[in-house]
Amino acid sequence: GDPCRSERARRRMIPRVTGDTALAAAWIVAVIATLSVLFIGEVLGRMPCLLCWYQRAFMFPLPIVLGLGLWWQDARVGRYGVALSLGGGMVALWHIGLYAGIIPEPVQPCTATGPSCTDDNQAILGVPIPLLSLLAFILTASLSILSLKEPRS
């Protein structure tokens, strides 16, 4: 057999993620993350700390921006998904550093009058909320990058 032919057949068997599929997946992740944060704050009554508010500022526009990009079939909207996700991811990383005790207490932006950035209120089912936030930002950034890799028709 022809080695090139078998290689082509193998490539056809590997599923490829299209730009539209990656963008739709990024949008779904952003919607779930946004609704989850609203549920934690509004239904469970957990007040967000200052760093949580900053992360929200980066997450809340993502479903709107990515959703409009899907609606308008804008092949380059993933750029905004990457930018917003990187900004939110950096804040989430800082928050994880505080939560884990890697960053010292005096550097904490949360005030004595507001909710703590590091207490037990910052965990859901034992998982730190900043970690969940970072995972959501990593997923939306990665999927947004994937959406830019393939030109759409």
Side-chain angles (χ1 to χ4, degrees), residues 9-88:
R10 188 180 66 78
R11 275 193 211 150
R12 270 188 255 128
M13 292 175 66
I14 298 172
R16 289 186 52 210
V17 176
T18 65
D20 285 333
T21 303
L23 189 58
W27 177 76
I28 290 168
V29 170
V31 167
I32 290 170
T34 297
L35 293 176
S36 298
V37 165
L38 290 172
F39 179 81
I40 291 166
E42 301 303 317
V43 177
L44 298 181
R46 295 196 186 176
M47 289 290 299
C49 70
L50 184 64
L51 289 177
C52 290
W53 276 112
Y54 293 153
Q55 289 166 76
R56 285 174 171 211
F58 286 102
M59 182 56 72
F60 286 0
L62 277 168
I64 297 165
V65 170
L66 298 176
L68 288 174
L70 278 168
W71 180 266
W72 291 327
Q73 298 179 347
D74 182 351
R76 297 176 53 160
V77 75
R79 299 176 300 172
Y80 307 115
V82 172
L84 287 167
S85 296
L86 288 178

Side-chain angles (χ1 to χ4, degrees), residues 88-106:
M90 286 189 282
V91 177
L93 261 178
W94 180 266
H95 198 170
I96 290 169
L98 288 173
Y99 187 87
I102 298 166
I103 297 172
E105 286 281 328

